[in-house]
Amino acid sequence: MQYWLMKTEPGTYSIDDLLAEPNQTDHWDGVRNYQARNFMRDAMTVGDKVLLYHSGKAPAVVGTGVIAREGYPDHTAWDPDGEHYDPKSSPDNPIWYMVDVRCEQKFAVPLPLKTLRGEEALVDMWLLRRGMRLSIQPVSRGEFDHIIGIAEY
């Protein structure tokens, strides 16, 4: 099992949106970074654990999820009227991928980025590296467990 952090803008798609989906599961589409794409396409497997992170004005880990379906082509890249359209991607030659994520737990209180920065156990976490903007990041089991341990349910 692997561990991941997946970022989303809460005004675009929040943990509450995910919770409102049937089975609290939805596809994670629109990722347009090659490294993040490679994580979804090549590394994420069903059952991997996820920290759900809201970026924006109040960045925080807001809950946990699990990968419910491994990487498959992101069809939103093929819609010329869609915001994630990429004319270089097609059903015959997909460039972008997505996974399905199921929400497991919403924290009673979000864990702000500022709090995470103050945790010695998280000093090597990708999220806390200067300039790290990647929307999907690996997380060590120790980092995942530490965050779960300080979260309020």
Side-chain angles (χ1 to χ4, degrees):
M1 178 185 314
Q2 297 182 86
Y3 301 86
W4 305 95
L5 181 135
M6 299 177 81
K7 292 182 182 178
T8 184
E9 287 281 342
T12 302
Y13 196 86
S14 71
I15 192 170
D16 292 326
D17 294 320
L18 183 57
L19 285 167
E21 293 292 335
N23 300 319
Q24 300 178 346
T25 304
D26 202 3
H27 58 273
W28 203 269
D29 65 4
V31 173
R32 298 297 181 262
N33 173 282
Y34 286 101
Q35 188 173 7
R37 184 259 339 244
N38 292 348
F39 287 144
M40 289 192 298
R41 184 188 67 192
D42 304 332
M44 290 180 157
T45 59
V46 171
D48 284 358
K49 299 292 187 176
V50 175
L51 295 171
L52 300 169
Y53 183 86
H54 283 176
S55 53
K57 292 184 180 185
V61 178
V62 295
T64 63
V66 63
I67 299 301
R69 180 178 174 190
E70 293 179 12
Y72 59 100
D74 182 345
H75 59 81
T76 67
W78 310 328
D79 179 1
D81 297 323
E83 70 177 287
H84 301 301
Y85 177 62
D86 183 344
K88 296 176 188 167
S89 186
S90 70
D92 294 331
N93 185 29
I95 295 173
W96 305 110
Y97 282 71
M98 59 185 167
V99 295
D100 288 356
V101 178
R102 183 177 65 247
C103 187
E104 286 193 319
Q105 180 81 43
K106 179 181 176 182
F107 296 161
V109 179
L111 271 172
L113 179 60
K114 185 176 181 178
T115 299
L116 300 177
R117 287 196 187 283
E119 295 291 318
E120 181 65 29
L122 303 178
V123 69
D124 293 324
M125 191 172 182
W126 281 40
L127 177 68
L128 305 180
R129 294 179 184 171
R130 172 173 244 119
M132 178 51 67
R133 300 191 62 211
L134 201 57
S135 62
I136 296 175
Q137 306 169 8
V139 174
S140 74
R141 180 175 181 164
E143 292 162 347
F144 186 91
D145 289 346
H146 185 79
I147 288 171
I148 298 305
I150 63 174
E152 294 182 37
Y153 297 92

